[in-house]
Amino acid sequence: MTLPAILDIVGVAVFAISGALAAGRKQLDLLGVIVLALVTAIGGGTIRDVLLGRHPIFWLANGSYILVITAAALLTVAYTRWRSPPHSALLVADALGLALFSITGAQIAERTGLPAVSGIVLGTITGSAGGLVRDVLSAEIPLVLRRGSLYATAAIAGTGTYFALEAFGAASPIPSIAGMLVIVGLRLAAILWGLQLPVFKLDSPASKR
């Protein structure tokens, strides 16, 4: 199995765990757990494949994705019945999934011959869109829109690092590993230390009176 294929399988499993944890926070039933795990794990990749015109879509062409997602979700439920996960488990799992899927999406775009800028966009969509759908279905403000989350920003920085190292001729798998480390590092920095981009704020007319 190639490195991109391994990253893809690990990515769907990690994102499935984050979806299952989100379902647990909302006290959904087992069907709800599996649905949230599925949309979290395959949402971004589905949008990527639609934009690239890849048919059939990756999880329809390979049924093992659905099996991995379902197994990861049910194992998460079983584990949490035995031991309560730490409060930060969802955010950490989401950071790992973001890193794995963003780089995988960038590699898929690269293999189609698209330029690096397009690869960064598609990598960011692959990594962040599933979590966005998960948060919307969970009635939460999506992480990608929360101030201080550095969610899409981390994906952009990581995929940009990947393409930069590729351009400089770095040997595989150095670009992939470096890109994932950048994404995870920025996300964890945002979680632990509140690292964020500058905020654009306009005073309302009432506040000037």
Side-chain angles (χ1 to χ4, degrees):
M1 186 178 287
T2 63
L3 179 61
I6 294 172
L7 292 178
D8 220 22
I9 292 295
V10 175
V12 295
V14 172
F15 259 157
I17 291 170
S18 75
L21 291 173
R25 300 271 169 85
K26 293 297 181 177
Q27 300 182 9
L28 302 184
D29 61 19
L30 281 180
L31 179 60
V33 170
I34 293 174
V35 168
L36 276 194
L38 284 168
V39 298
T40 306
I42 66 176
T46 300
I47 295 173
R48 174 203 64 215
D49 284 359
V50 169
L51 290 175
L52 288 175
R54 298 176 79 214
H55 298 289
I57 293 171
F58 75 104
W59 55 271
L60 291 175
N62 186 350
S64 63
Y65 286 104
I66 303 299
L67 296 177
V68 169
I69 293 166
T70 303
L74 294 178
L75 286 173
T76 301
V77 172
Y79 176 82
T80 55
R81 294 295 178 91
W82 170 62
R83 185 173 182 179
S84 179
H87 180 70
S88 60
L90 173 59
L91 295 176
V92 172
D94 202 67
L96 294 174
L98 177 66
L100 290 164
F101 259 29
S102 295
I103 298 303
T104 299
Q107 291 171 335
I108 290 173
E110 183 181 35
R111 290 198 295 271
T112 65
L114 291 175
V117 172
S118 300
I120 292 172
V121 171
L122 287 173
T124 302
I125 289 173
T126 305
S128 61
L132 187 151
V133 176
R134 175 203 63 211
D135 291 342
V136 169
L137 292 178
S138 302
E140 297 281 349
I141 297 174
L143 277 172
V144 70
L145 300 179
R146 295 181 200 174
R147 185 173 68 180
S149 69
L150 291 187
Y151 200 79
T153 303
I156 292 169
T159 52
T161 299
Y162 169 80
F163 282 110
L165 291 176
E166 285 271 299
F168 282 110
S172 179
I174 292 175
S176 300
I177 294 173
M180 287 188 285
L181 288 176
V182 168
I183 294 171
V184 173
L186 285 175
R187 277 293 296 134
L188 293 183
I191 294 168
L192 295 174
W193 302 306
L195 185 66
Q196 62 180 347
L197 292 175
V199 176
F200 177 60
K201 181 179 180 181
L202 289 175
D203 293 329
S204 63
S207 67
K208 296 180 180 180
R209 294 174 185 172

